Amino acid sequence: MTDSSLPLPSIETSSIECLAESYDYIIVGGGTSGLVIASRLTEDPNVTVLVLEAGSDKLHDSRITTPGLAVAMWDNPDFDWQFMTTPQDELNGRTVAHPRGKTLDGSSAINVGLMAYPSKSGLDSWEKLGNKGWNFDTLRPYYRKFHTYTPPSKAVEELLALDYMDQSVQGTTGPIQVSFGDFQGQLQKQWPETFKRLNMKYTGDSLAGLGFGGHSNPASIDPKSKTRSHAGTGYYDSEVRQRVNLRVLTEALVEKVMLTTMEDGQTSAKGVQYSSKAGKRHIVNANKEVILSAGTFQSPQLLELSGIGSRSLLEEFGIDTIIDNPFVGENLQDHAMASISSEVEDDVATVDVLRDPKIFNAAIEEYNKSKTGFLASGTYCSAFMPIFDFLRQDGQAKLSDLLDQYLPNVAVLSFPAQKQQYDLLRAILQSKDDSSIHYCMASFQMNVEAGSAASKCFSPITEGNYVTLLAAPSHPFSRGSVHITSADARDKPVIDPKYLSHPLDNEILARHVQYMETLIRTEPLASLLKKDGRRIPADVHVETLEEARMLGPRTVTSNFHPTGTCAMMPKDLGGVVDERLIVHGTTNLRVVDASIIPLEPRGNIQSSVYAVAERASDLIKEAMN
């Protein structure tokens, strides 16, 4: 236990006062997954845990607690790591921003909060890549365990057409609160009705592994306080903060894991080296394990800084190679989304009105007083869909022809498992139980061509009020990478997602972009949009497949779902961690975050990160015993 003359909760989280020389478990990253593990492990009072977080503790900052202020934190260095990709060849040389939470709670504190769940076939594919026990049936209890769902009023249920939800599969006792919030407008009401007119009414419940059509998603919002529910409020609440066997140190930048090679050739993690808020370098020892939960970009960065990665890359920066694994930082996947913004009728309310300082201040006042209005938003509109043309009688043959055209003939293989991944993706796309696209409707304009900064892309800088339709391929084929640029942990890694580098991604995206025109013209959504109204990009209309192919390179940006860079797979397939999330070649170094996901699931990955962390906690407890 920590030897302390002061009760730990009274110590400022950034202070190294009373820090012990060693802890049983050291968790690098106090974000979405790191706080889950810390909370679960310290349920045992005999287990000591240290969490090292590079960001500061802003749990009570109104920009975090207010659901509708996520964009206010993007590009702000107090909250956001401000990662940027390399210029993307297939996006006309554009760079793409990747907001990542640089604060205690991680990205769960700065995301938009949409709660979506993956498909059964998507999760089953993880096991088929050599990860025994990682399938839908095994993971399903953990998707329930992390959250508590509170249904809305009957009136809201009817307005949003929530009859698809199966109450028996929702979470009932988890730390993360999930609800629909209190703000629903005309757009939210007419979204599911529009898909119903197209015979695409939502069927199934994603938590049951199936879900197809247009629907409304809940968000991570506490239905009582009407505030954001995130890892900090759910897993590091006042009760957890009082645990004397848990220490959270903020503003502590971990520079590397201290590794030693034993006589049997295996490598052991002895602790970590970090710099404190004062800029001083320290080493703290791990009695049992070191757990990296630094995220898809920084977990592989830390492995490379510690001597685990491609020998040639490490030698370039003067880092001794402890374990030569060229697959560290590879297999980067992300949901790339294209967009069309359409001007709405004057009586339709969208978030764009908040560009007016008077209206914005009034919205702040309304939220502070009654927790209502735009800033209390908690309903998101989605659709999981196949390529519409392929639903027709000859559709399967056309789909097979498209896959045959590109899968065998495109030489983009970068690691051994990629062909197996593509075979699994092909099976998912040809399944009638899964989707090839995730549509979303956002009650604001998108300005991707205005510049790379995320805050610009998502801000109302164009005159007029708009609604945006977004389309993101659910199961991308393109693969990128993230790697160190020096031996200094302060230098950001180079991030290259290689968006649309596999031509099949743009072929699938283009067909769904075409269908967005059908959605725009279909009632009752059509009546909410100005006839011959303005669009962003200006005057874009996508009637032909060739026009649709051109929209992707112009408007694709990230859906902020990067995964896969420390992939859970056998090493000979290109894996970095095994099915127990232990780094190949080590005995006690784990990675637990979105980077271990070997194949990107459909939908927003927040739910999957929570579920992975919950299961990882049980795996660690099993090893402990």
Side-chain angles (χ1 to χ4, degrees):
M1 300 293 289
T2 303
D3 181 15
S4 174
S5 59
L6 294 172
L8 290 184
S10 71
I11 300 176
E12 168 65 35
T13 57
S14 63
S15 172
I16 63 171
E17 183 181 359
C18 302
L19 201 69
E21 292 183 358
S22 66
Y23 292 82
D24 293 332
Y25 296 89
I26 297 174
I27 300 172
V28 180
T32 310
S33 53
L35 289 181
V36 174
I37 302 164
S39 177
R40 293 306 187 191
L41 294 185
T42 53
E43 289 171 344
D44 183 342
N46 297 310
V47 173
T48 60
V49 172
L50 171 66
V51 177
L52 295 170
E53 165 57 42
S56 60
D57 182 355
K58 300 185 183 69
L59 278 174
H60 303 296
D61 190 291
S62 62
R63 286 164 289 188
I64 289 178
T65 59
T66 306
L69 289 181
V71 178
M73 294 178 281
W74 300 350
D75 302 322
N76 182 336
D78 290 337
F79 297 89
D80 179 9
W81 282 97
Q82 298 177 285
F83 289 120
M84 193 72 68
T85 71
T86 60
Q88 296 295 286
D89 290 343
E90 303 303 323
L91 304 187
N92 301 326
R94 289 187 292 112
T95 56
V96 177
H98 272 267
R100 298 283 92 191
K102 188 181 180 181
T103 177
L104 190 61
D105 326 313
S107 294
S108 71
I110 73 168
N111 64 19
V112 298
L114 189 153
M115 194 60 69
Y117 303 100
S119 63
K120 182 180 187 301
S121 58
L123 292 182
D124 285 345
S125 70
W126 296 4
E127 184 170 60
K128 293 173 182 177
L129 286 168
N131 302 302
K132 184 178 180 181
W134 288 86
N135 55 51
F136 175 77
D137 290 337
T138 303
L139 286 167
R140 183 176 178 179
Y142 295 106
Y143 281 91
R144 294 190 65 191
K145 184 178 182 179
F146 82 79
H147 82 277
T148 294
Y149 171 68
T150 300
S153 65
K154 290 295 182 182
V156 172
E157 281 190 3
E158 292 177 8
L159 184 145
L160 298 178
L162 300 181
D163 53 329
Y164 74 86
M165 295 193 73
D166 181 352
Q167 299 300 323
S168 68
V169 301
Q170 310 302 317
T172 57
T173 59
I176 300 302
Q177 302 301 310
V178 175
S179 71
F180 279 90
D182 283 338
F183 180 79
Q184 292 87 27
Q186 298 176 71
L187 290 164
Q188 288 76 22
K189 177 181 179 180
Q190 304 304 356
W191 178 259
E193 184 62 30
T194 299
F195 280 87
K196 186 177 179 181
R197 297 276 184 96
L198 294 166
N199 294 317
M200 288 293 167
K201 183 180 184 294
Y202 199 67
T203 57
D205 189 305
S206 294
L207 268 172
L210 300 172
F212 195 75
H215 61 290
S216 299
N217 292 94
S220 47
I221 294 179
D222 188 314
K224 294 180 180 178
S225 66
K226 309 297 169 56
T227 57
R228 175 193 292 269
S229 180
H230 52 80
T233 58
Y235 288 92
Y236 190 52
D237 60 15
S238 57
E239 182 274 323
V240 176
R241 283 185 177 235
Q242 296 295 320
R243 294 176 184 171
V244 296
N245 58 329
L246 172 61
R247 182 69 186 272
V248 173
L249 181 63
T250 58
E251 299 179 70
L253 179 68
V254 174
E255 298 174 333
K256 64 179 179 178
V257 181
M258 308 303 292
L259 301 171
T260 184
T261 302
M262 299 176 290
E263 291 183 1
D264 61 1
Q266 288 284 84
T267 297
S268 174
K270 296 301 183 182
V272 301
Q273 175 181 296
Y274 71 94
S275 291
S276 65
K277 181 180 180 180
K280 294 184 178 180
R281 184 168 287 168
H282 305 268
I283 291 177
V284 62
N285 298 314
N287 302 325
K288 295 182 181 294
E289 293 188 14
V290 172
I291 302 162
L292 299 185
S293 295
T296 296
F297 299 146
Q298 288 159 297
S299 283
Q301 178 190 23
L302 276 170
L303 287 179
E304 290 177 341
L305 291 172
S306 306
I308 301 177
S310 168
R311 183 182 298 276
S312 60
L313 176 68
L314 302 185
E315 288 178 348
E316 179 182 348
F317 297 114
I319 299 172
D320 292 337
T321 303
I322 309 297
I323 297 174
D324 183 12
N325 186 341
F327 307 120
V328 172
E330 297 295 314
N331 192 47
L332 174 60
Q333 300 161 55
D334 189 22
H335 290 136
M337 62 181 183
S339 62
I340 296 176
S341 298
S342 301
E343 193 173 14
V344 298
E345 292 286 1
D346 293 339
D347 62 344
V348 176
T350 75
V351 179
D352 289 347
V353 300
L354 297 182
R355 70 162 68 82
D356 184 329
K358 291 182 179 179
I359 297 176
F360 178 76
N361 290 334
I364 291 284
E365 185 176 356
E366 179 182 3
Y367 178 77
N368 289 338
K369 283 185 176 180
S370 61
K371 296 296 186 288
T372 58
F374 278 120
L375 300 181
S377 60
T379 299
Y380 295 94
C381 299
S382 289
F384 290 123
M385 298 276 288
I387 297 173
F388 192 78
D389 286 349
F390 297 160
L391 291 175
R392 296 167 182 160
Q393 190 169 3
D394 59 346
Q396 280 296 314
K398 286 185 176 181
L399 176 58
S400 291
D401 289 345
L402 180 67
L403 297 175
D404 287 342
Q405 179 180 353
Y406 289 104
L407 281 183
N409 301 319
V410 178
V412 295
L413 300 181
S414 61
F415 59 96
Q418 201 156 330
K419 185 180 184 305
Q420 287 177 252
Q421 288 186 350
Y422 286 176
D423 289 344
L424 290 168
L425 293 180
R426 179 178 186 131
I428 289 172
L429 290 176
Q430 292 182 305
S431 167
K432 295 181 180 180
D433 296 328
D434 213 313
S435 65
S436 54
I437 205 75
H438 182 194
Y439 286 120
C440 288
M441 181 180 69
S443 300
F444 50 78
Q445 59 183 258
M446 291 276 291
N447 291 278
V448 174
E449 293 182 309
S452 297
S455 55
K456 274 192 175 180
C457 293
F458 290 82
S459 293
I461 60 177
T462 301
E463 181 184 355
N465 298 328
Y466 295 78
V467 65
T468 301
L469 296 188
L470 303 157
S474 297
H475 306 286
F477 287 83
S478 299
R479 297 290 181 271
S481 63
V482 54
H483 292 294
I484 56 174
T485 56
S486 78
D488 191 337
R490 293 161 188 77
D491 293 336
K492 293 178 182 178
V494 59
I495 300 166
D496 184 8
K498 292 184 170 61
Y499 290 121
L500 306 186
S501 59
H502 195 296
L504 194 52
D505 282 343
N506 200 32
E507 289 297 320
I508 291 171
L509 177 61
R511 286 160 173 80
H512 287 294
V513 164
Q514 266 192 297
Y515 194 70
M516 285 161 64
E517 292 287 0
T518 300
L519 293 174
I520 289 169
R521 290 193 292 260
T522 300
E523 297 291 352
L525 178 62
S527 293
L528 303 181
L529 309 178
K530 284 187 176 181
K531 187 176 181 181
D532 300 322
R534 292 171 293 185
R535 288 192 175 185
I536 307 171
D539 303 320
V540 65
H541 291 272
V542 182
E543 303 298 340
T544 68
L545 187 58
E546 188 54 39
E547 288 174 327
R549 289 189 182 108
M550 294 170 63
L551 188 71
R554 288 185 65 185
T555 69
V556 155
T557 189
S558 175
N559 216 348
F560 310 141
H561 303 157
T563 62
T565 53
C566 297
M568 175 177 58
M569 291 188 295
K571 189 175 181 181
D572 60 357
L573 290 182
V576 177
V577 301
D578 64 17
E579 72 274 7
R580 301 190 70 82
L581 307 185
I582 296 174
V583 175
H584 289 302
T586 75
T587 59
N588 65 338
L589 175 59
R590 295 188 205 242
V591 181
V592 183
D593 54 34
S595 72
I596 67 92
I597 294 174
L599 206 57
E600 179 117 70
R602 78 177 191 183
N604 295 49
I605 65 170
Q606 173 179 216
S607 64
S608 294
V609 174
Y610 280 124
V612 164
E614 285 281 13
R615 179 154 198 256
S617 299
D618 281 352
L619 292 175
I620 295 167
K621 288 179 179 180
E622 288 175 11
M624 188 190 308
N625 297 324

